[in-house]
Amino acid sequence: MSTPSFGNIGGKAARLALLRVNGFPVPAFVAFSGERVSRTARSADWDELAKEAAATIGAAAYAVRSSGSAEDAADASLAGAFSTEVAVPASGVANAMRRVAEDALKKAGTLDGFGIIVQAFVEPAFAGIAFTRHPFGGRETVVEWHAG
């Protein structure tokens, strides 16, 4: 089975889309491509993207996250390297998107290949990551988590 193409939205957003396509319970989201983020950053009109996200998702609160093409590679991950904003009210989505993009521009020096995800925010009881293989070698599963 071939992997569907989701365009230039970055690895994180493409994986979220793939999970949704395959029936996993991923909170609703909109992924904006690197080209659209770059164009919006030049015009400084984040309101258009924020309105599109709110109309599509319609949540009480949002998470605004990066999805860069270089963030998740086969041999490396930059997870957590760029800003993520959580529990953002609809009125704050445009500014949150601007801050996430500014953080990426500051750290990466470019917005090329840098998408943004706006997702319905779900207040977690626990948050973390599970590695199906130890990130430093070995075959054991590693789970890192914290409350909230």
Side-chain angles (χ1 to χ4, degrees):
M1 182 166 102
S2 65
T3 302
S5 173
F6 297 105
N8 184 14
I9 57 174
K12 188 183 306 175
R15 283 172 184 78
L16 287 173
L18 186 59
L19 287 168
R20 283 205 78 176
V21 164
N22 284 291
F24 287 88
V26 175
F29 70 95
V30 174
F32 297 102
S33 70
E35 292 84 9
R36 192 135 182 231
V37 169
S38 292
R39 192 169 53 245
T40 301
R42 285 191 300 276
S43 73
D45 184 14
W46 293 99
D47 289 333
E48 178 186 337
L49 297 186
K51 286 176 187 173
E52 184 178 330
T56 302
I57 301 167
Y62 299 86
V64 179
R65 312 166 62 193
S66 65
S67 182
S69 58
E71 282 187 70
D72 297 311
D75 61 346
S77 174
L78 295 175
F82 300 110
S83 177
T84 293
E85 300 209 10
V86 296
V88 177
S91 62
V93 170
N95 282 328
M97 292 177 75
R98 178 187 50 77
R99 287 189 298 270
V100 168
E102 285 174 351
D103 181 65
L105 185 58
K106 180 175 128 185
K107 292 176 180 172
T110 183
L111 289 176
D112 291 345
F114 184 86
I116 289 181
I117 301 165
V118 179
Q119 188 169 26
F121 176 69
V122 176
E123 185 69 47
F126 297 95
I129 187 166
F131 297 95
T132 56
R133 293 188 77 167
H134 196 290
F136 299 113
R139 299 193 58 83
E140 66 268 14
T141 298
V142 176
V143 178
E144 296 179 359
W145 62 275
H146 66 87

